[in-house]
Amino acid sequence: QKEVEQNSGPLSVPEGAIASLNCTYSDRGSQSFFWYRQYSGKSPELIMFIYSNGDKEDGRFTAQLNKASQYVSLLIRDSQPSDSATYLCAVNSGYSTLTFGKGTMLLVSP
Amino acid sequence: SAVISQKPSRDICQRGTSLTIQCQVDSQVTMMFWYRQQPGQSLTLIATANQGSEATYESGFVIDKFPISRPNLTFSTLTVSNMSPEDSSIYLCSGLGGDGGYTFGSGTRLTVV
């Protein structure tokens, strides 16, 4: 059974700090990896996705992928209170369907 | 990324009735999906909506309970049939765009009383 694991949190960081969110997955054949932000009562919003080992940067966000360790992370630089949300990791194992983790709640304090 | 319009945004329904949720995409997507999200939980895939043919359902979900249509590349419906309070949830549609990203509709919050 394909599994995606995330620490439920909450992860608390002060404003301006770097928030680091982590995700591990069980299917070694997984091909693409997605990070979503979900505010309470809203639908998931795609932040970014990554296919290849290494880092991918988009503004304040950096996704990091290590397929050997089956590990993907999301770094948020200069965290803002508006970044407070639940962050969902999702994995595509090659059949075009996504398996989601349970999400990590991030709290950024002013 | 594709923009997906979903309606209704919320509804309160009597048990035993059915509700149809609609999703319209502003551009062509290769695949469309339907998810359910229970309060405080993550997303569970119900089915993949296939254009012009029967949807592909995940384990635990059946066509009689969740009939799905996708008559063209940009439109899909999910019906929740013969509802019970256990069907109270948020239902979300999603599309896979040409850029490789999956985007979501705004969701339908369903309460069955």
Side-chain angles (χ1 to χ4, degrees):
Chain A
Q1 184 174 354
K2 300 169 188 173
E3 295 183 346
V4 178
E5 300 287 343
Q6 295 181 258
N7 189 319
S8 62
L11 172 67
S12 296
V13 301
E15 184 175 356
I18 296 175
S20 178
L21 302 158
N22 304 316
C23 173
T24 59
Y25 57 95
S26 63
D27 185 355
R28 189 168 287 277
S30 299
Q31 298 181 353
S32 52
F33 308 85
F34 300 79
W35 283 102
Y36 289 86
R37 177 173 61 193
Q38 187 173 29
Y39 293 110
S40 181
K42 301 296 185 182
S43 66
E45 173 190 2
L46 180 63
I47 298 172
M48 63 191 304
F49 54 93
I50 186 168
Y51 290 91
S52 303
N53 274 331
D55 295 359
K56 180 180 179 181
E57 185 174 319
D58 185 359
R60 294 187 297 114
F61 300 96
T62 299
Q64 299 175 318
L65 175 62
N66 184 326
K67 290 187 176 180
S69 300
Q70 296 176 235
Y71 176 94
V72 58
S73 64
L74 180 70
L75 301 179
I76 307 175
R77 290 182 298 280
D78 188 23
S79 295
Q80 300 298 309
S82 58
D83 293 325
S84 297
T86 295
Y87 288 78
L88 300 169
C89 171
V91 176
N92 179 346
S93 296
Y95 296 98
S96 298
T97 58
L98 295 183
T99 301
F100 280 82
K102 294 184 177 181
T104 298
M105 181 182 294
L106 173 66
L107 299 176
V108 182
S109 55
Chain B
S1 297
V3 176
I4 303 178
S5 300
Q6 183 174 343
K7 60 180 180 181
S9 58
R10 59 178 63 228
D11 208 339
I12 301 174
C13 300
Q14 296 291 322
R15 66 177 67 202
T17 63
S18 298
L19 174 71
T20 296
I21 302 167
Q22 300 180 2
C23 273
Q24 177 75 52
V25 188
D26 70 337
S27 59
Q28 289 186 355
V29 293
T30 55
M31 302 185 75
M32 293 185 73
F33 308 89
W34 287 96
Y35 289 85
R36 182 170 70 183
Q37 187 173 30
Q38 307 278 23
Q41 301 297 313
S42 190
L43 283 74
T44 300
L45 180 65
I46 297 172
T48 301
N50 299 310
Q51 184 197 357
S53 65
E54 189 172 295
T56 303
Y57 290 84
E58 298 298 306
S59 176
F61 298 96
V62 296
I63 187 172
D64 290 346
K65 177 67 175 177
F66 298 101
I68 289 170
S69 75
R70 188 181 174 197
N72 56 56
L73 285 173
T74 62
F75 185 78
S76 181
T77 66
L78 166 74
T79 299
V80 185
S81 303
N82 188 24
M83 288 184 287
S84 67
E86 291 71 35
D87 295 319
S88 297
S89 189
I90 297 171
Y91 293 85
L92 294 150
C93 64
S94 174
L96 172 57
D99 63 352
Y102 296 73
T103 54
F104 284 85
S106 55
T108 297
R109 182 180 296 271
L110 172 62
T111 303
V112 183
V113 297

